[in-house]
Each structure stands twice: as C-alpha cells, then as structure tokens.
Amino acid sequence: MKTENQIRDQIAEIGRSLYARGLSPGSSGNISVRLDDGWLLTPTNSCLGNLDPGMLSKVDWNGKHLSGDKPSKEYFLHLAVYSNRPSAQAIVHLHSTYSAAVSCLDGLSSESCIPPITPYFVMRVGRLPLIPYFRPGDKCLAQAISKLAAKHAAVLLANHGPVVSGKDLNSAMYAIEELEETAKLMLLLNGQRIRTLDENQIQGLRETFGAEW
Ligand SMILES: [Zn+2]
C-alpha cells in the first residue's frame, strides 16, 4: 500500500510521461487517485509535464477543496466515476489526439464507439460508450457519466476525449494508452473492411481475463 506522498510523486511522474509523449498538450488532461480520506487531483490550468507533488489538489467526497492548488474544473467528472464505481482507484482523462479525433466522428455507436478490433482493447478498456457533447463545466456531464460508470471502466466524451479508471494509477494509464492506440488503428482502417473479434472470441476474453465487454 502506497503512502499519500508516494502517490503524489507517482501522479507527477505519470503526468511527466504523458506530457513527454504528447498525450496531454498544453494544460489539457487531468489525473486523480482515491485516498482513504478523500482524493487527489491535478490542479486547474496545470501542465501535466510540470506538476508539483506537494501542491496537488486534495478534495473530499462532496467535491469540497481541502488543500493544495485549486482543483481542475473537470473535478466533477472524476467524482461521478468514483461515486458510482467503488473499484475505481485512479482516473486519467486526456484530450489525446486520436481518441479526441474519434470522439468527433459522426454516426458512432453510443453503446460501443470503438469496435473490438484487438484483444488488448477488449481486455484493458472494455466496451466503450460515447457520452453526448456537453459544454465544458456543464454538470449534466456528471449525470451522464454517473449512469454508465458502474458498468464501464472507460467512457469517451463526444468532441472532447476519454475518461478511464483503473484499479490503480498504472492500470488507468495503460488502459488510456491502449485506448489511444486503438483509436489510431480505427482511423488508419477508416474506409477499409475490418474483421472485428467475433462473439466467441470476446467470450473467451471475458472468461479467461475477466474482460468487461
Ligand atoms: Zn477534458
């Protein structure tokens, strides 16, 4: 079990890594981790490449700011996931290019907006619902996420980007990277005939690896 200080350092390290690889340009994206006495979140207008572990925002379960810098304006989207998904210990939200590009496509399935094209997408991300577009800061977004968070570890926000939870911070990071790579594959394959995994193959991943599909 990590101490709060170790978790703070890990958030800064993962932020640096995501930023260095171009997955969180500017001040976009945010990272949070559940603690025993609330949760930690990256501050508003912070660059993930340059986080101060001691100044991360600490927030309670009502969304009240307890310490550190002012929390990200997107705090309510994290709270919606934690409140409805007890197994979620950490969340990463990005505006990463390929996932954001897919989120702008017209005609996506709202229940499963990226098809099961690889087993790793099925295992690490699972079935990915699309949340309709909401103006930034609109609390209706939290309601829409709340309805889906119990059943889904990850959701894609239309014209915006992915929100991915995990049993710890590394799992959430690996899952959002898998999502980003699969979004890239989906765009590379756009207009071509795709052979997706069939129902039996997905069932095998559910039984063997506990995939949520
Ligand atoms: Zn966002």
Side-chain angles (χ1 to χ4, degrees):
M1 188 74 186
K2 285 190 162 70
T3 65
E4 181 174 328
N5 281 341
Q6 287 171 326
I7 291 171
R8 286 172 177 272
D9 289 343
Q10 192 193 12
I11 290 174
E13 186 190 320
I14 281 182
R16 265 195 303 279
S17 166
L18 292 169
Y19 181 78
R21 289 177 291 148
L23 292 164
S24 63
S27 62
S28 70
N30 31 74
I31 302 172
S32 70
V33 175
R34 190 195 286 270
L35 301 173
D36 290 337
D37 57 346
W39 50 291
L40 291 171
L41 174 66
T42 48
T44 186
N45 287 325
S46 60
C47 169
L48 294 192
N50 188 29
L51 294 168
D52 178 347
M55 292 309 287
L56 294 174
S57 316
K58 194 162 177 179
V59 185
D60 77 6
W61 295 113
N62 297 312
K64 186 171 163 245
H65 181 204
L66 300 174
S67 65
D69 284 337
K70 199 168 167 241
S72 162
K73 289 184 283 297
E74 294 183 303
Y75 78 91
F76 61 90
L77 146 182
H78 294 249
L79 198 51
V81 176
Y82 287 130
S83 304
N84 293 281
R85 193 172 176 86
S87 63
Q89 296 296 318
I91 297 168
V92 181
H93 164 57
L94 297 174
H95 301 169
S96 47
T97 309
Y98 291 98
S99 307
V102 166
S103 83
C104 300
L105 292 174
D106 198 12
L108 292 171
S109 158
S110 61
E111 287 167 14
S112 177
C113 60
I114 294 185
I117 51 179
T118 72
Y120 293 94
F121 177 72
V122 173
M123 290 187 290
R124 292 205 170 123
V125 180
R127 190 187 290 262
L128 183 71
L130 181 74
I131 306 260
Y133 172 79
F134 289 98
R135 172 178 54 72
D138 186 340
K139 298 289 184 338
C140 291
L141 176 57
Q143 288 170 18
I145 292 176
S146 295
K147 286 187 196 141
L148 293 165
K151 272 192 162 178
H152 298 273
V155 296
L156 185 63
L157 314 181
N159 305 82
H160 187 164
V163 179
V164 179
S165 65
K167 64 177 175 28
D168 53 41
L169 187 47
N170 274 330
S171 306
M173 182 181 73
Y174 295 149
I176 206 163
E177 289 177 21
E178 192 69 41
L179 198 166
E180 178 71 1
E181 291 303 312
T182 313
K184 191 173 179 179
L185 291 179
M186 184 177 164
L187 294 170
L188 279 170
L189 292 165
N190 196 18
Q192 305 193 54
R193 288 179 58 201
I194 303 178
R195 195 194 70 78
T196 60
L197 301 192
D198 64 28
E199 194 46 49
N200 275 340
Q201 290 165 332
I202 292 173
Q203 183 59 24
L205 296 171
R206 275 200 214 101
E207 286 167 8
T208 312
F209 300 105
E212 291 186 343
W213 195 276

